[in-house]
Structures are given as structure tokens and as C-alpha cells.
């Protein structure tokens, strides 16, 4: 007998099974989904600190796993700035997960105090073999590896932060620590330059550069090739990108056509300084220590006074920087048998780049 509905049923069943097993991987900190390599490395946390207890706490605000999702794998990525091989070892490993009312940047140094409710053991205790890092004979897919959870963890709704604890009862190197250098995050603050400025009467074009910056730190603007021993004004457009270059002639009649404005002409802040005998200068200002400033762009351009230039003014290139934020994560670490150590050393903003795979 012919059953024309059977292919449709099989297709529907296959689609349902695929939906149930579909996996999504997110990166913590979220900024690092677009950053292939962080500026730091984690020499031996969380796996290579020897016989130890290592707790990592992640701010829920920066964790892109949706409430109700089931976390099935925990992963990390190797430091790719290095070229030397780090040999993996076998671990006697237990992984626990839970939720915390503690702030992610200032958790308790007492391990158990970081859990709002008793944690869930999601792996082991069992043997886990770490792969080699940066091994040309056996490279890691995308430079990443994962710990598959024997008991997947369902992320609850709410504002509590996520705790992941690695309890290592021993390793194949006699329980000692070893180099196992993973990618580690810091604040991410890209800098972009606009079009070139225009030459002053000495023939050189003022060049503006910016330092990366995070909340609660100072941004430094450096100027070179400017008119010597003269006044320079740094124009700052807060919370804005550079604009499309526009003519300055309405404000400075006679200025050359290649002297273009690159910051919006309204709502500007300014700082002024004198240039050196070599036409250099440096100016700094503080970015508020407030997470609301994170990810904002700050646009800049310098106007330099030069009496022998048309209109008496020349300008630098534009430059913009995005304000970064230190990782909203911390570690609590103690050496010794996990069953006997109860407190450890806290390091704020410590964050090996973490991967969470969920469905």
C-alpha cells in the first residue's frame, strides 16, 4: 500500500529532532565574539593550577545565554599569540555550576559563599584529558576545545550571576601546576582614524592618535607634525562617531578645501595645549567609571593655529575610540585538595575567554 503521507511525517520528525539538538555557542565576554584574540593569556587557570579549586563567576549582564536554555558544553580557546606547544595532561576533574548573588567583580573569597543555592555537579568526578595547545600535528578546531557536560545545566531566569567551579583532585603530572596558556580577555577598545588633515605652513600634516581606553581610566590623545610652539585645541564629540568630512569654510573663510571637519560642529568639548618645538603635544582626560559609558564612541579632531596658513588654522585627521569595559568576571583560586580547601585568593576582572554551548 502506498502511504504518501509518510515522507511528510519523516521530514517533520527529522526537523523536530534537529531543532532539539541544535547547538549555539556564545562567547564571554560578549565583545570577544568579534575579537579573534585577546591581549593577555591565562597561564594555568582554570585547568593547570595543579591539585586545586578554581571558581569563575560571570556577570549575567554580559552572558548571552538566554534564560531557560540548557548549557551542554563549557569551552575555552588557546592563546594564539604564542607559537610554542603547551602539553595537555589528564585531570581528575569535577565541574560544578550554580547561581550567585555575589557581584561578579567582587565575589566572596569563601567558595561556598558564592552559591545562592547548592551547586549542581555537571561533570565527573571523572577523568578528563586536556588536548595539546598549538600543536601543529593535531591542531584544535578553531583553536577551541570543550568539556561536555554529563549533566547539562539549565540557566534559570533572573539576575543572578553564573558560577562555574573546576575542582581538580590531581593530574598526570603529579598534581603540580603547568603551562596551559588560554586566551584571556581585557577591555576591548578599537581605535579608528579618519581622513588625513591638511598641511600647515611648514608643509607637514598634523597627525592625531588616540590610546585605547576603558571606563574609569584616562584617554590620551597624541599630536605630531603640528605647527611648533603654537596653540592646539583638541575637539571632542562625546558619545558619537566621526562625521562624514565637511567644509570648514562657513566658520573659517578662506581655509583650504582640503581642511575638512570630521567631528559634528555642535555639542563639542575642548581641551587646549601648546605644542613643542618639534610640533608635538599630548593631552589626557578621564572617562567616567560608569558602565553606561562602555561601548560609546568618542570622536576627536585637533585644530592647530598657524598664522601663515590661510584662515590661520589647520586641522588634523579625525580619530575615534570605543570605550571598553574590563571583563565582568572574577576568579577565586586555592591550591590543595578540593575537598579540604574552603577559601582562596580573589582576582577581580580575571577572565579566560569562555565559550558556552547551549540548546
Amino acid at each position: 500500500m502506498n502511504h504518501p503521507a509518510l515522507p511528510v511525517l519523516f521530514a517533520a520528525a527529522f526537523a523536530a529532532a534537529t531543532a532539539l539538538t541544535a547547538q549555539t555557542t556564545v562567547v564571554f565576554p560578549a565583545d570577544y565574539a568579534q575579537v579573534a584574540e585577546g591581549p593577555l593569556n591565562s597561564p594555568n587557570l582554570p585547568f593547570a593550577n595543579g591539585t586545586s579549586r578554581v571558581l569563575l563567576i560571570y556577570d549575567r549582564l554580559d552572558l548571552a545565554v538566554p534564560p531557560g536554555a540548557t548549557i551542554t558544553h563549557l569551552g575555552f580557546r588557546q592563546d594564539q599569540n604564542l607559537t610554542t606547544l603547551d602539553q595537555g595532561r589528564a585531570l581528575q576533574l569535577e565541574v560544578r555550576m550554580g547561581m550567585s548573588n555575589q557581584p561578579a567583580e567582587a565575589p566572596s573569597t569563601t567558595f561556598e559563599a558564592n552559591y545562592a543555592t547548592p551547586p549542581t555537579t555537571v561533570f565527573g568526578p571523572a577523568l578528563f584529558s586536556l588536548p595539546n595547545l598549538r600543536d601543529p600535528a593535531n591542531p584544535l578546531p578553531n583553536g577551541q576545545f570543550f568539556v561536555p557536560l554529563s549533566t547539562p545545566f539549565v540557566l534559570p531566569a533572573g539576575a543572578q550571576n553564573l558560577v562555574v567551579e573546576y575542582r581538580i583532585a590531581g593530574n598526570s603530572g603529579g598534581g603540580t601546576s603547568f603551562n596551559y596558556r588560554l586566551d584571556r580577555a581585557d577591555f576591548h577598545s578599537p581605535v579608528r582614524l579618519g581622513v588625513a588633515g591638511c598641511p600647515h605652513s611648514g608643509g607637514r600634516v598634523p597627525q592625531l592618535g588616540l590610546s585605547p581606553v576603558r571606563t574609569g581610566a584616562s584617554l590620551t590623545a597624541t599630536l605630531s607634525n603640528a605647527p611648533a610652539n603654537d596653540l592646539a585645541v583638541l575637539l571632542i564629540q562625546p558619545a558619537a562617531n566621526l562625521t562624514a568630512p565637511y567644509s570648514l569654510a562657513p566658520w573659517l573663510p578662506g581655509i583650504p578645501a582640503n581642511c575638512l571637519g570630521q567631528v559634528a560642529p555642535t555639542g563639542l568639548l575642548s581641551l587646549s595645549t601648546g605644542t613643542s618645538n618639534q610640533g608635538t603635544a599630548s593631552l589626557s582626560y578621564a572617562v567616567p567609571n560608569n558602565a553606561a559609558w562602555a561601548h560609546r564612541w568618542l570622536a576627536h579632531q585637533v585644530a592647530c593655529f598657524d598664522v601663515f596658513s590661510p584662515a590661520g588654522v589647520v586641522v588634523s585627521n579625525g580619530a575615534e575610540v570605543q570605550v571598553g569595559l574590563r571583563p565582568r568576571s572574577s576568579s577565586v583560586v586555592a591550591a590543595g585538595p578540593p575537598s579540604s580547601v574552603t577559601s582562596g585568593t580573589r582576582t577581580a576582572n580575571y577572565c579566560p575567554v569562555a565559550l558556552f554551548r547551549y540548546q
Side-chain angles (χ1 to χ4, degrees), residues 50 100 118 122-123 130 133 151 160 175 189 198 209 214 229 235 257 262 289 325 355:
S100 180
V122 296
F123 180 89
L130 290 172
L133 303 181
T151 303
Q160 290 177 318
S189 176
C198 52
R214 61 171 174 83
N229 305 310
L235 303 171
Q262 296 176 53
N289 191 18
L325 184 69
L355 309 173

Side-chain angles (χ1 to χ4, degrees), residues 43-272:
N44 47 35
L45 297 184
F47 298 107
N49 203 46
T51 300
S52 60
R53 194 171 178 180
V54 178
L55 181 147
L56 298 172
I57 183 169
Y58 302 98
D59 195 313
R60 191 65 170 270
L61 292 172
D62 208 19
L63 183 64
V65 179
T70 301
I71 298 173
T72 61
H73 296 73
L74 301 171
F76 295 91
R77 60 194 200 187
Q78 65 189 6
D79 186 303
Q80 299 186 100
N81 288 324
L82 302 171
T83 57
T84 54
L85 181 145
D86 282 347
Q87 190 79 37
R89 293 185 182 178
L91 310 177
Q92 185 62 28
L93 174 67
E94 178 183 0
V95 182
R96 296 181 177 182
M97 295 179 69
M99 307 309 294
S100 180
N101 293 320
Q102 298 288 323
E105 293 175 88
S108 173
T109 56
T110 301
F111 286 99
E112 298 304 329
N114 288 299
Y115 292 104
T117 56
T120 300
T121 294
V122 296
F123 180 89
L127 187 70
F128 181 76
S129 294
L130 290 172
N132 295 341
L133 303 181
R134 297 171 297 277
D135 185 349
N138 191 22
L140 295 175
N142 299 315
Q144 305 170 354
F145 69 94
F146 290 86
V147 178
L149 304 187
S150 52
T151 303
F153 184 81
V154 178
L155 187 70
Q160 290 177 318
N161 296 323
L162 178 65
V163 174
V164 183
E165 183 181 346
Y166 299 84
R167 298 164 63 98
I168 298 169
N171 63 38
S172 58
T176 60
S177 63
F178 57 99
N179 281 339
Y180 199 72
R181 290 163 290 188
L182 302 174
D183 189 23
R184 179 179 155 201
D186 199 358
F187 68 93
H188 176 57
S189 176
V191 176
R192 300 191 299 220
L193 302 182
V195 300
C198 52
H200 59 73
S201 59
R204 299 198 298 173
V205 178
Q207 178 67 37
L208 173 63
L210 300 176
S211 67
V213 70
R214 61 171 174 83
T215 56
S218 290
L219 180 152
T220 298
T222 55
L223 181 67
S224 60
N225 295 335
N229 305 310
D230 218 327
L231 180 66
V233 179
L234 177 67
L235 303 171
I236 308 162
Q237 183 63 260
N241 290 95
L242 294 172
T243 65
Y246 59 91
S247 172
L248 293 172
W251 295 273
L252 297 166
I255 195 167
N258 61 343
C259 289
L260 298 170
Q262 296 176 53
V263 292
T266 58
L268 291 171
L269 305 176
S270 65
L271 295 171
S272 60

Side-chain angles (χ1 to χ4, degrees), residues 270-292:
S270 65
L271 295 171
S272 60
T273 188
T275 61
S276 72
N277 194 47
Q278 289 74 42
T280 61
S282 178
L283 282 166
S284 297
Y285 65 90
V287 173
N289 191 18
N290 185 328

